[in-house]
């Protein structure tokens, strides 16, 4: 998932005050899910105005888990401590990525869950290896995505070569700077790290709640340590059989469908935006805007590739649509590029945190599984897909293209099929673009006794704790009791929730009150 530098609402939180704890050897059975005894971590207050109860710590893990006495790296942790007498153990939360920081997510989840449920858990956030406040934090090529980049859609050999050279340069920079680290940046090692965290927390088992790529990380952890999983909640599910090349192709079609849904929404409100009442006409105007920006980037910052980066978040979260529609209308109808530049700064522009996130995204995905090493395969596949789904196909291709030239060999992804787990809860929207619906169905079939809760007609990515009371109720009930719904839905679904209605245009007073959904989607931030 493309990292967003910011959003059109106030969402960011900085977590500071990390304390390094040097844990002694801890037995794999130390502690229990119902007790806090045995912890080796030291916590210090690092709260913010938004999340005042956050505490922070850190833990050392082996760089190479096959050599546990060798070089160590550090993982940053955050916590909102339980307050109820009934303690159900640690709840580890992850926002996805790979490359997403989870420190602030702990504060969000603790505040968004019903108080009675949240009070029974130590909600634990973490920055996976290489991410954010963990050390070392990777930044392969600072400014790699600075504007204005070459047009993502190649119009000839010269255009294609320019983007290939960028991908090669990024892969080479990663190898040059982190050649000793890259072989150890992958999902399996990140999952093994979580078991070190479990032991440091003094817990016999963990509870886990992950979004997006966090669902894959959770499934891999559960495969490696099924006896250590107490509860497993997975939202917006990655297809574990498509990692990672095939999943990105599937995304291309799904993102194009969401962009068409945006065009249809704009057409519905033609009286507000004046871009036409025919969705096809609206979409055609968007592509004409894209062509105009290729010739003359808005504010010398927003070319066609930056435009795609700006509108891609709308495919993740439809509450961005009114802002995106206003910028679109201002550019087309009034020849005013300033709102478009502002939208890019809020939704598409990147900074140091994004450079770090992208470095981990590529490091994990390129190492996790095989990618075509012959660029001719990429060229053919993306040309074919672009003909049917032009919105972000080439943009997505270049985002992942360093994997064609990655300096480490690829691993074989684990089969996460699992019949040793307690019931897991999966939540999936039918029109999710970043993690298409089929992935949720696939994992549901692979995890024995799991339950699938479907948001029917929903197109957002990251759906629990995002404003849908029905979904929130299933998640809260599961965390409170461990019980999952059984067979009350249709097809593969065990339960169905109606999607939230699409947004309406912003009111004249321009009030944009932050919601649970807008806050959550400021914390989720990468392509898978």
């Amino acid at each position: 998932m493309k990292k967003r530098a910011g959003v059109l609402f106030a969402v960011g939180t900085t977590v500071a005050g990390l304390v390094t704890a040097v844990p002694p050897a801890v037995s794999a059975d130390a502690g229990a899910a119902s007790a806090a005894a045995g912890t080796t971590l030291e916590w210090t207050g690092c709260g913010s105005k938004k999340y005042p109860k956050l505490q922070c710590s850190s833990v050392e893990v082996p760089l190479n888990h096959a050599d546990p006495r060798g070089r160590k790296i550090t993982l940053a942790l955050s916590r909102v401590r339980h307050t109820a007498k009934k303690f159900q153990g640690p709840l580890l939360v992850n926002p996805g990525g790979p490359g997403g920081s989870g420190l602030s997510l702990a504060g969000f989840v603790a505040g968004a869950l019903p108080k009675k449920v949240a009070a029974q858990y130590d909600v634990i956030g973490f920055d996976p290896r290489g991410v954010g406040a963990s050390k070392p934090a990777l930044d392969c090529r600072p400014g790699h995505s600075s504007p204005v980049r070459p047009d993502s859609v190649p119009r000839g050999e010269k255009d294609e070569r320019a983007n290939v050279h960028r991908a090669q340069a990024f892969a080479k920079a990663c190898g040059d700077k982190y050649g000793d680290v890259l072989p150890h940046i992958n999902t399996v090692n990140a999952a093994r790290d979580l078991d070190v965290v479990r032991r440091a927390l003094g817990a016999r088992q963990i509870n886990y709640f992950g979004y997006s790529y966090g669902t894959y990380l959770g499934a891999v952890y559960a495969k490696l340590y099924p006896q250590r999983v107490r509860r497993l909640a997975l939202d917006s599910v990655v297809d574990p059989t498509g990692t990672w090349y095939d999943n990105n192709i599937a995304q291309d079609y799904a993102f194009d469908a969401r962009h068409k849904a945006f065009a249809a929404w704009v057409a519905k409100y033609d009286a507000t935006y004046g871009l036409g009442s025919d969705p096809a006409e609206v979409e055609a105007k968007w592509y004409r805007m894209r062509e105009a920006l290729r010739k003359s980037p808005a504010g010398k910052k927003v070319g066609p590739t930056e435009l795609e980066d700006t509108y891609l978040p709308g495919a993740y979260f439809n509450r961005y649509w009114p802002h995106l529609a206003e910028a679109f209308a201002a550019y087309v109808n009034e020849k005013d590029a300033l709102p478009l530049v502002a939208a890019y700064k809020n939704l598409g522009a990147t900074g140091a945190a994004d450079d770090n996130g992208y470095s981990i995204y590529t490091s994990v995905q390129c190492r996790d599984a095989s990618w075509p090493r012959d660029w001719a395969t990429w060229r053919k596949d993306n040309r074919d897909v672009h003909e049917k789904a032009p919105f972000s196909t080439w943009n997505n291709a270049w985002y992942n293209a360093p994997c064609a030239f990655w300096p480490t060999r690829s691993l074989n992804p684990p089969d996460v099929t699992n019949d040793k787990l307690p019931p897991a809860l999966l939540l999936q929207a039918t029109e999710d673009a970043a993690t298409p619906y089929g992935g949720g169905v696939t994992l549901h079939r692979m995890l024995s006794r799991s339950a699938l809760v479907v948001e029917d007609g929903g197109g957002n990515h990251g759906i629990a704790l995002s404003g849908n009371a029905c979904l929130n109720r299933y998640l809260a009930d599961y965390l409170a009791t461990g019980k999952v719904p059984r067979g009350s839905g249709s097809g593969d679904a065990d339960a169905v929730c109606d999607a939230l209605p699409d947004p309406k245009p912003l009111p004249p007073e321009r009030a944009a009150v932050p919601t649970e959904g807008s806050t959550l989607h400021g914390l989720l931030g990468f392509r898978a």
Side-chain angles (χ1 to χ4, degrees), residues 229-310:
V229 176
R230 183 173 179 270
R231 290 187 188 147
L232 183 68
L234 306 176
D235 184 318
S236 303
V237 178
V238 167
D239 185 343
T241 66
T243 54
W244 289 108
Y245 186 78
D246 290 345
N247 279 353
N248 278 281
I249 295 294
Q251 279 185 339
D252 296 336
Y253 292 105
F255 279 130
D256 195 77
R258 288 306 289 162
H259 189 59
K260 284 180 167 57
F262 166 67
W265 182 86
V266 173
K268 178 181 177 180
Y269 292 104
D270 179 45
T272 300
Y273 301 115
L275 289 165
S277 58
D278 178 4
E281 177 187 357
V282 172
E283 190 177 17
K285 286 182 178 179
W286 191 90
Y287 283 104
R288 286 198 291 272
M289 175 173 67
R290 186 190 188 285
E291 175 63 17
L293 293 169
R294 186 180 70 86
K295 297 175 181 177
S296 179
K300 298 182 179 180
K301 288 187 177 296
V302 186
T305 301
E306 289 74 27
L307 181 74
E308 291 163 347
D309 291 349
T310 303

Side-chain angles (χ1 to χ4, degrees), residues 14-20 42-47 55-58 77 133:
T14 299
V15 179
L18 297 173
V19 174
T20 301
E42 297 178 5
W43 297 93
T44 185
C46 60
Q55 299 174 321
C56 288
S57 187
S58 64
L77 307 176

Side-chain angles (χ1 to χ4, degrees), residues 9 25 31 45 65 104 119 121 159 200-201 216 247 251 276 338 345 518:
F9 310 96
H65 282 278
S104 294
Y121 287 94
D159 290 349
L201 291 168
Y216 183 62
N247 279 353
Q251 279 185 339
L338 290 179
K345 289 180 178 178
S518 63

Side-chain angles (χ1 to χ4, degrees), residues 1 210-213 215 234-239 247 250-259 261 312-318 427-441 452-464 499 521 524 526-528:
M1 189 189 303
Y211 291 96
S212 193
Y213 164 79
T215 67
L234 306 176
D235 184 318
S236 303
V237 178
V238 167
D239 185 343
N247 279 353
Q251 279 185 339
D252 296 336
Y253 292 105
F255 279 130
D256 195 77
R258 288 306 289 162
H259 189 59
L312 193 60
Y316 287 91
F317 185 53
N318 62 9
L427 304 110
Q428 185 70 39
T430 58
E431 311 307 316
D432 183 359
T435 51
Y437 178 72
V441 174
L452 177 64
V453 178
V454 172
E455 186 182 42
D456 187 28
N460 289 338
H461 177 73
I463 53 176
H521 286 83
L524 308 183
F526 293 81
R527 292 201 184 211

Side-chain angles (χ1 to χ4, degrees), residues 2 144-152 163 166 301 303-306 309 344 348 350 395 399 527:
K2 173 68 168 64
H144 178 74
S145 296
S146 297
V148 173
R149 309 199 304 277
D151 189 344
S152 66
N163 276 306
R166 287 186 71 253
K301 288 187 177 296
T305 301
E306 289 74 27
D309 291 349
Y344 166 70
T350 60
N395 186 298
Y399 198 82
R527 292 201 184 211

